[in-house]
Amino acid sequence: AMGMELSSERLNALLNQSTAVNLTDALLSSASKALGFSIKTADNVCASFGVVSTLAAAGDLSWSGVASVVGILRAGLQDTSYISGLDGSCVSNGLQALRVGLDALMAAGGQDSGAGLGSLLADRETVLRGLTTLYLSSATALSPALVVSDGMGADLLARRDGRLFGSNVSVSVDMVRLGLGAGQAVVSLPASMSGVMSVLLNGSSEFNLRISVSDYSPASGVLVARSPMVGVSLYPVSGANSWSVENLTEPVNITVPLQNMTSEAWGVFRQQAVCMFWDAGAGNLSTRGVRVVGVSRVSVVCETRHLSEFVVVQDTSVALPTTQTTGGGSTTTAAVGS
């Protein structure tokens, strides 16, 4: 109730931002303590997710607030002795709270000397794995996917089998609110992946799939994010960590929607476009095993031989060619840029 009141007062401009941030931090801290004393039933966990989602929706999260959001979600999923599954509404609240947290990180520059970005993102991955596993606990390969979409991205959760490979999976996003030129991200999985998965499945036939689209990218100097991050993960149905899928014989193609740009800005961008992925081990963005194979006005196709979270950036350090006319009427090309 306090969370709903705070959210309402903030949205109606009855509180200034500083006061709202402090109150939100205090309420999230109290929610975290309360959850620590509660038996982790589906009702209690989903109630806490609802509180977190309501508080996060007000848009006043500090770094410690983001850490509390992720911490509460993770605590709710640590002991599942009394939880056989979570419904779509509960999972949606959790996913939306995570996206609000990521948006707050982006607003803060994606980095903080005291909070530990790498640790926070690792905890986020733990939460995503738990939400995926519990929602899909009774699903089959023929069950419809759960798609949760809002103004900061979208998530697709589904139980699938070998028929997934050799096909495209698309996730629709709110292109207007996200400021994108295209309304979906598309993941093209090669048929040859079925061989890799048969080894990972070790006799099983089904697995869990998660595709995420998040309006977030860690700050990285000369690299300017020009797209949301598109993540692709495959999990065993048991709920263990996502499989490390890499060194594929055939690449996965990911069509990533681009932010809206003027024609002039896009003309520069297309010469500096780079596909990158979040290297969780190194704690930074990397180009290893990823490359651009197509650029259009509204999207970029990234080719990768491993699964991760991918983003299209503009590397402003790349020199741009320019054409100059000499006195004799001929032209010469030189590079400009740092």
Side-chain angles (χ1 to χ4, degrees), residues 114-127:
L117 178 62
S119 176
L120 201 55
L121 292 179
D123 285 347
R124 166 180 167 263
E125 180 59 32
T126 299
V127 172

Side-chain angles (χ1 to χ4, degrees), residues 149-318:
S149 179
D150 56 30
M152 287 164 287
D155 285 275
L156 178 148
L157 309 180
R159 176 71 59 82
R160 292 295 180 258
D161 57 21
R163 288 171 290 186
L164 175 71
F165 305 113
S167 66
N168 297 336
V169 183
S170 61
V171 181
S172 296
V173 294
D174 190 332
M175 59 184 290
V176 175
R177 293 175 67 184
L178 287 170
L180 302 175
Q184 62 181 8
V186 182
V187 178
S188 301
L189 300 166
S192 60
M193 275 189 70
S194 59
V196 175
M197 289 305 299
S198 65
V199 175
L200 295 175
L201 287 167
N202 192 28
S204 300
S205 60
E206 297 182 342
F207 52 88
N208 293 335
L209 165 72
R210 177 174 60 83
I211 299 177
S212 61
V213 183
S214 300
D215 185 25
Y216 169 75
S217 175
S220 191
V222 299
L223 304 177
V224 179
R226 292 298 187 189
S227 79
M229 291 192 83
V230 179
V232 186
S233 300
L234 300 177
Y235 301 88
V237 297
S238 63
N241 292 334
S242 59
W243 284 303
S244 176
V245 179
E246 53 188 17
N247 299 321
L248 296 170
T249 56
E250 288 186 85
V252 173
N253 284 341
I254 302 175
T255 303
V256 184
L258 288 175
Q259 297 172 351
N260 291 322
M261 288 177 269
T262 65
S263 296
E264 182 179 3
W266 181 78
V268 175
F269 159 78
R270 66 182 303 197
Q271 300 175 77
Q272 298 179 323
V274 180
C275 290
M276 305 190 77
F277 76 98
W278 176 253
D279 187 334
N284 55 33
L285 292 172
S286 171
T287 58
R288 178 176 54 83
V290 187
R291 68 188 184 110
V292 174
V293 294
V295 180
S296 76
R297 192 70 177 79
V298 298
S299 64
V300 166
V301 180
C302 296
E303 181 186 274
T304 174
R305 293 182 184 272
H306 64 274
L307 300 185
S308 181
E309 291 186 290
F310 303 90
V311 63
V312 177
V313 304
Q314 182 172 350
D315 185 350
T316 57
S317 69
V318 174

Side-chain angles (χ1 to χ4, degrees), residues 63-89:
W63 249 93
S64 61
V66 175
S68 292
V69 166
V70 177
I72 290 170
L73 296 175
R74 183 178 182 184
L77 300 173
Q78 277 183 326
D79 179 7
T80 57
S81 302
Y82 302 96
I83 303 175
S84 59
L86 298 177
D87 63 26
S89 175

Side-chain angles (χ1 to χ4, degrees), residues 12 19 22 33 49 62 69 97 99 107 113 140 142 146 167 200 235 277 286 296 323 325 337:
N12 288 290
T19 301
N22 291 335
K33 292 175 183 177
F49 286 7
S62 65
V69 166
R99 274 201 295 277
S113 57
T140 71
L142 297 178
L146 171 70
S167 66
L200 295 175
Y235 301 88
F277 76 98
S286 171
S296 76
T323 302
T325 303

